Amino acid sequence: MRLTIHAVHCALPEDDHLTLRRRAAFALGRFATRVEAISLRITDINGPRGGVGFTCLARVRLRGSASEIIATAASDRALQSAMMAMERVRSGVAHAVDRTLAMQGRA
């Protein structure tokens, strides 16, 4: 499971990077054999002007599947928006895995 974090128009402290890595391992750890890559794109809505407002786009690519699970979240803090997006994408991965198992007759 490969995790990529991109921060656009904002600086993400190293502590936040570590927190997001731990959160990804916790949220998607039970699907580690099925998840190929996770991408988080955290964007400061106001850009270089400053101000408060962040969005996070989370993408998960599953092994053996051409589709991606995508979730977004917005918050006044960068880390919080990423954590919310991670939780939403976890739910999407769980649903996709359950659906795959049901189609294979294993559920």
Side-chain angles (χ1 to χ4, degrees), residues 1 5-6 8 13 20-21 27 30 32 34 37 40 49 53-54 60-61 70 76 88-89 91-93 98 102-103 107:
M1 183 166 64
I5 302 170
H6 298 284
V8 180
L20 289 174
R21 290 187 187 287
R30 73 179 230 207
R34 296 180 183 270
L40 298 175
R49 294 185 314 235
F54 296 91
V60 173
R61 190 172 52 237
I70 299 174
D76 59 342
R88 290 177 182 169
V89 82
S91 177
V93 169
D98 287 345
M103 288 174 51

Side-chain angles (χ1 to χ4, degrees), residues 5-107:
I5 302 170
H6 298 284
V8 180
H9 300 299
C10 61
L12 205 59
E14 188 60 33
D15 288 347
D16 288 355
H17 277 271
L18 294 173
T19 300
L20 289 174
R21 290 187 187 287
R22 281 194 306 263
R23 180 65 188 151
F26 177 75
L28 298 171
R30 73 179 230 207
F31 306 112
T33 60
R34 296 180 183 270
V35 173
E36 184 175 329
I38 306 165
S39 172
L40 298 175
R41 183 176 182 88
I42 303 166
T43 306
D44 184 354
I45 297 169
N46 298 317
R49 294 185 314 235
V52 179
F54 296 91
T55 62
C56 180
L57 174 69
R59 294 175 179 231
V60 173
R61 190 172 52 237
L62 298 177
R63 293 186 201 285
S65 175
S67 62
E68 291 182 323
I69 290 106
I70 299 174
T72 61
S75 178
D76 59 342
R77 295 184 319 183
L79 183 61
Q80 185 178 12
S81 68
M83 299 284 261
M84 290 168 37
M86 186 79 66
E87 181 58 30
R88 290 177 182 169
V89 82
R90 183 210 56 81
S91 177
V93 169
H95 181 71
V97 168
D98 287 345
R99 189 174 57 234
T100 300
L101 292 176
M103 288 174 51
Q104 293 174 351
R106 295 184 186 171

